[in-house]
Structures are given as C-alpha cells and as structure tokens.
Amino acid sequence: MSRDAGMEIFGEAAPYLRKSEKERTEAQKQPFDAKTYCFVADPEVEYTRGRIKAAQDGKITVETEDGRTVAVKPDDVYAMNPPKFDRVEDVAMLTHLH
C-alpha cells in the first residue's frame, strides 16, 4: 500500500498531514532527551520549543528554538513528544497530550 493511499481526498493539504517515509525515518534518528526538550509559553506565538538548561530557585531556564533564554515557573514548562510523533495520525500514540 502506498503511503499516499487515501490521502488524495485532502488535495494540496496532504503533504502537510503526513510525513513521507524518508521524513519519518529521519525523525526516528534524531537525538531526543525527554527530560530536557519542552514547550514553554510565548506571548507572541503561544508556545515555542526549547531545551531546559537549568533549574534553581523555583525557576526553569529554557533556551528557545529561536535562541532566546527565558526563566519560567515549572508550571509553564510542558513536556514534548519525540520528533517521531510529528504529524502522527493517531493521537492515542502520543506520550503527552496538551
């Protein structure tokens, strides 16, 4: 069965709804540390990806994907699913639901 089976009904949106086999394989190979990768609240884009750099005095220091360093409360840090789950078709497969 082709990876695009059933996807033609989505027309031009289809490539954005399912990764190609190559993209899925590459995502499996990406290094990922569930203890440091996270999402944090961002006033401009709602949430942004980041990596936890430190935790002290009730604040978590996170380096965001755009290079900023922010200090946030632990309640404002959300766990991230591994890259292999990007555009997953069945949310039951996800480790974290937000």
Side-chain angles (χ1 to χ4, degrees), residues 5-7 11 15 17 20 23 25 31-33 40 45 49-50 60-62 64 71-72 75 83 90 93:
M7 294 301 288
L17 299 174
S20 69
E23 288 175 308
T25 301
F32 181 80
D33 181 359
V40 292
V45 293
R49 296 174 190 229
I60 308 288
T61 303
V62 176
T64 63
V72 296
D75 290 344
D90 184 354
M93 296 173 64

Side-chain angles (χ1 to χ4, degrees), residues 3-20 23 87 89:
R3 79 168 185 86
D4 293 326
M7 294 301 288
E8 62 276 351
I9 64 171
F10 297 108
E12 293 179 18
Y16 302 101
L17 299 174
R18 181 183 291 168
K19 286 184 174 186
S20 69
E23 288 175 308
R87 290 191 254 165
E89 295 173 26

Side-chain angles (χ1 to χ4, degrees), residues 40 42 48-51 53 61-70:
V40 292
D42 184 293
T48 189
R49 296 174 190 229
R51 287 186 71 184
K53 294 296 183 180
T61 303
V62 176
E63 182 180 331
T64 63
E65 68 182 347
D66 61 3
R68 292 178 294 130
T69 301
V70 296

